[in-house]
Amino acid sequence: MKPQDAKRIKESVRKHYADRIKTDESCCSSLTDCCPDTNTDSPAEKNGYTETQISSIPTDAAEHSFGCGNPLEYTDVHEGDVVVDLGSGAGIDVLLASQLVGESGKAIGIDMTPEMIVRARENAEEAGAKNVDFRLGEIESMPLENESVDWIISNCVICLSPDKDKVFEEAYRVLKPGGRLVVSDMVANNIPGWARTAVSAWVSCISGALPEDKYLDSIRQAGFENIRVLSKSAYAKMRQVEVASVKVEAVKPV
């Protein structure tokens, strides 16, 4: 992808989610034929969060859940761990992680949209969470020290990056040896070439989604091992384009 295209896409993604924080729309809801009809559940319920989890955080954080899953469902986060959420939005996963890591741990959210950082900090204050930190930054260049975190999670955000190789390289850099990457994300087959730079489809989590094998290979090339797909579910099919939600785990070798 040309640098100018990547810059244009990133700016469009930032603007899109600055606007979305004013609504409860999910990642793909701007494409009316993309999201399945899943009754009247809240966005967080649709993404697999339990009633207990939802009731334990501010309503705003749950209502502005823009993901495609619940990555913490597949983690074994312990007290004292440091957890980083890539593309933390209004803070749902950071706030839930903060409950697991306790006072001796820390949950950090990284997001490139200032409006999201403001909202997440407001939600953290409402929750009374003292062990959280929301940082403005890009996931291709994380504001984190080398080998400083135990877990990296992400929820339907890496698919929005124009440079996924760099994201996984950065994830590898900041994880401690033995640290784990657990992400919920979108993969897609048969995306037409013209759509790869179409902003409207990109911000809807479609055009930036890689085929599953390429997505996993990008993780592998960054140095991760024990890469496995934890779950996969069909998300949408539009003509020849097949989109799926996957949960993937990978380990940084010791």
Side-chain angles (χ1 to χ4, degrees), residues 72 74-84 96-107 131 149-153 176 178-180 249:
L72 285 168
Y74 299 91
T75 66
D76 185 24
V77 175
H78 292 97
E79 187 170 347
D81 284 347
V82 177
V83 179
V84 172
L96 291 174
S98 74
Q99 300 170 10
L100 300 175
V101 302
E103 293 182 1
S104 61
K106 194 165 190 177
N131 57 348
V149 306
D150 300 286
W151 294 88
I152 286 184
I153 60 173
K176 300 175 183 177
R180 293 179 180 268
E249 178 186 54

Side-chain angles (χ1 to χ4, degrees), residues 113-174:
T113 304
E115 291 85 350
M116 288 292 188
I117 295 295
V118 170
R119 186 63 65 87
R121 288 173 177 167
E122 292 173 348
N123 286 330
E125 183 176 0
E126 180 180 340
K130 305 298 184 183
N131 57 348
V132 303
D133 184 11
F134 290 98
R135 302 180 183 180
L136 182 65
E138 298 186 352
I139 60 176
E140 299 87 356
S141 181
M142 301 178 195
L144 296 165
E145 296 180 359
N146 294 349
E147 299 186 351
S148 60
V149 306
D150 300 286
W151 294 88
I152 286 184
I153 60 173
S154 189
N155 197 347
C156 206
V157 170
I158 298 174
C159 64
L160 295 170
S161 171
D163 192 347
K164 296 166 184 59
D165 289 348
K166 185 60 177 174
V167 174
F168 293 125
E169 289 169 5
E170 278 287 276
Y172 188 91
R173 176 183 68 81
V174 303

Side-chain angles (χ1 to χ4, degrees), residues 177-193:
R180 293 179 180 268
L181 170 78
V182 178
V183 301
S184 179
D185 212 354
M186 308 299 286
V187 294
N189 291 320
N190 303 317
I191 299 290

Side-chain angles (χ1 to χ4, degrees), residues 8 12 27 31-32 49 56 81 94 103 110 116 130 136 138 173 184 206 222 229 232:
R8 177 170 58 89
S12 297
C27 169
L31 294 183
T32 56
Y49 296 92
S56 71
D81 284 347
V94 171
E103 293 182 1
I110 299 174
M116 288 292 188
K130 305 298 184 183
L136 182 65
E138 298 186 352
R173 176 183 68 81
S184 179
I206 304 300
V229 176
K232 180 179 179 179

Side-chain angles (χ1 to χ4, degrees), residues 46-108:
K46 292 176 183 179
N47 289 329
Y49 296 92
T50 67
E51 291 184 7
T52 299
Q53 289 176 317
I54 294 170
S55 64
S56 71
I57 59 175
T59 300
D60 183 85
E63 289 183 346
H64 292 96
S65 172
F66 300 118
C68 56
N70 177 1
L72 285 168
E73 178 184 0
Y74 299 91
T75 66
D76 185 24
V77 175
H78 292 97
E79 187 170 347
D81 284 347
V82 177
V83 179
V84 172
D85 180 24
L86 307 183
S88 47
I92 181 171
D93 292 314
V94 171
L95 294 177
L96 291 174
S98 74
Q99 300 170 10
L100 300 175
V101 302
E103 293 182 1
S104 61
K106 194 165 190 177
I108 302 169

